[in-house]
Amino acid sequence: MLRLRGVNKAFAGRNVLRDVHLEVHAGEAVAVLGPNGSGKSTLLRIAAALSPPDQGVVEVQAASVRRDDVAARRAIAYVGQEPALYDDLTPAEHVRLWAHLRAIDADPDAVLADAGLAAATHRPCGQLSRGQRQRAALAVALLGQPRILVLDEPFTALDADGEAWLGNLLGRRRAAGSALLVAVHEPGQANRLLARTVRLRERRLEAA
């Protein structure tokens, strides 16, 4: 479903990733561990076709991302560490906007109620708490049953109920055949996802 082969990346002459190999199959979750600054976010952005590697190949559903970026991005849902939301728009307006862009049907009230945001559906995102914004960003990104989910520390700012909601949602997506690549802060979060765990150490990826 998602494959990285021989991926290298450097910034300002400093190597961040070196000879990274990784495969994530349909219905599988892979959790990436590593300290801050180890390159987790860079790895995920490359896997999500948002940043090109300096060397190596990224394949999405057996197609090279360099040859078919548009098709790759349609298959991928990505959520970074900061919720990508417009402060002036409500969660419901975000759902309608992304559903329109992806040409899918979505009921904002149902989507946001499932995410525990029924009381915040029509409030501007700039007025929401960090946890509510995180829930909204995840709910919007996962519209339309994307085949590959790339999530950068998605449990950040979620309370216990939010963590349970996200764990259940990702479990349902895996059962439906989606592949998950998730950067996590601690091993317990990987255990919650029943994920295969890898670790970034000295710019290389290894089994944890």
Side-chain angles (χ1 to χ4, degrees), residues 110-197:
V111 170
L112 296 167
D114 179 70
L117 292 172
T121 298
H122 302 293
R123 290 173 55 197
C125 286
Q127 298 178 10
L128 303 184
S129 70
R130 178 67 174 82
Q132 289 174 319
R133 288 172 62 87
Q134 183 73 352
R135 288 195 191 213
L138 289 161
V140 170
L142 300 183
L143 289 172
Q145 305 279 336
R147 300 295 296 159
I148 300 169
L149 314 181
V150 179
L151 310 176
D152 196 349
E153 299 197 8
F155 292 99
T156 298
L158 295 181
D159 58 15
D161 287 342
E163 289 187 0
W165 162 74
L166 180 57
N168 290 335
L169 175 61
L170 296 182
R172 296 198 304 268
R173 292 302 171 87
R174 283 185 66 187
S178 293
L180 278 65
L181 178 62
V182 186
V184 296
H185 185 66
E186 57 187 35
Q189 294 171 342
N191 295 337
R192 176 186 288 277
L193 297 174
L194 303 176
R196 173 166 62 91
T197 306

Side-chain angles (χ1 to χ4, degrees), residues 3-11 16-20 42-59 64-67 69 73:
R3 176 183 295 173
L4 283 70
R5 293 186 287 138
V7 165
N8 291 267
K9 187 71 175 181
F11 295 104
V16 178
L17 301 173
R18 179 179 294 172
D19 196 30
V20 169
T42 298
L43 172 64
L44 265 62
R45 286 184 60 81
I46 290 172
L50 296 174
S51 177
D54 295 334
Q55 293 179 302
V57 176
V58 179
E59 295 180 351
S64 171
V65 168
R66 289 184 177 180
R67 290 197 304 267
D69 288 355
R73 288 169 183 160

